Amino acid sequence: KAGVTQTPRYLIKTRGQQVTLSCSPISGHRSVSWYQQTPGQGLQFLFEYFSETQRNKGNFPGRFSGRQFSNSRSEMNVSTLELGDSALYLCASSLLGQNTGELFFGEGSRLTVL
Amino acid sequence: SQQGEEDPQALSIQEGENATMNCSYKTSINNLQWYRQNSGRGLVHLILIRSNEREKHSGRLRVTLDTSKKSSSLLITASRAADTASYFCATDAGQGNTPLVFGKGTRLSVIA
């Protein structure tokens, strides 16, 4: 069974640009969650999607958005990038949702904003 | 926010020794999970303990949960160099579809 796949793995952008990250969950998993990880703040919850609906949203500005497709694949977008957006963005999938059991994480997309 | 906090922030031990990490949280929970992360990689689930359980084992891992103290501990016995990683606890809010909240982790270094 294939694991959670995130693309791209590494990317460099400049301030003001926008970026789209992709996440393919484990087959059959309907929930996809996104986290931002930085050395100072640790893992911060961005949002969770379940069956194409946003179920939860963390405390991030509107520049951060996401969506989920009918095949459960998810994308997140960050517009008007700032230096502080440099982070490891982690996607996690689960069968029924975040607080029902184990999360399966991808390897992450490391974003550097210059 | 209801964030778990791991203690210590960093731990360095010799191979073969036991490593103990602690997690404290603020509100009641349904379950508590422990995850491991190798440097710059994704997190890997280690163990889940439910609020009505007090202790759970998985291989060299032993997790305890004390809901009266709102704390949990992760014990790794007979540690190996390959156990070098960051360890995180994650808690839910005990009700509804609330997100898992992760602590900032304990950085474990096992010296061969």
Side-chain angles (χ1 to χ4, degrees), chain A residues 4-97:
Chain A
V4 177
T5 303
Q6 290 189 247
T7 57
R9 289 291 314 279
Y10 302 92
L11 65 166
I12 300 174
K13 294 284 187 178
T14 57
R15 280 182 299 174
Q17 288 187 311
Q18 66 93 26
V19 66
T20 298
L21 309 177
S22 178
C23 173
S24 293
I26 290 173
S27 178
H29 284 192
R30 297 164 66 186
S31 165
V32 173
S33 301
W34 289 90
Y35 285 85
Q36 180 196 65
Q37 186 178 30
T38 58
Q41 298 298 316
L43 280 111
Q44 300 287 311
F45 172 74
L46 281 158
F47 21 67
E48 179 191 9
Y49 287 89
F50 185 86
S51 295
E52 301 180 69
T53 301
Q54 187 180 82
R55 191 150 72 172
N56 275 305
K57 188 177 190 303
N59 189 25
F60 278 82
R63 300 186 297 108
F64 292 80
S65 63
R67 58 178 176 169
Q68 187 180 32
F69 302 96
S70 58
N71 61 358
S72 291
R73 189 177 70 85
S74 176
E75 287 182 349
M76 67 162 284
N77 183 276
V78 188
S79 62
T80 319
L81 284 165
E82 301 176 359
L83 295 178
D85 297 333
S86 294
L88 181 65
Y89 289 88
L90 292 163
C91 162
S93 77
S94 66
L95 189 62
L96 295 175

Side-chain angles (χ1 to χ4, degrees), chain B residues 2-74:
Chain B
Q2 186 226 309
Q3 184 177 38
E5 292 184 7
E6 291 90 346
D7 171 59
Q9 290 187 349
L11 179 62
S12 184
I13 60 173
Q14 297 289 325
E15 208 168 27
E17 294 181 337
N18 295 340
T20 299
M21 288 157 269
N22 303 296
C23 170
S24 59
Y25 56 92
K26 297 175 183 174
T27 65
S28 58
I29 58 172
N30 286 324
N31 59 63
L32 183 145
Q33 304 182 44
W34 284 91
Y35 287 81
R36 162 199 168 120
Q37 183 181 36
N38 286 74
S39 182
R41 309 289 296 273
L43 279 74
V44 175
H45 181 264
L46 295 175
I47 200 163
L48 179 152
I49 186 166
R50 303 195 185 282
S51 59
N52 61 353
E53 297 176 310
R54 290 298 166 256
E55 189 170 310
K56 206 162 182 181
H57 296 255
S58 177
R60 294 184 296 113
L61 306 180
R62 172 179 170 255
V63 169
T64 61
L65 179 64
D66 187 335
T67 53
S68 67
K69 295 181 180 178
K70 294 186 172 57
S71 67
S72 173
S73 67
L74 169 66

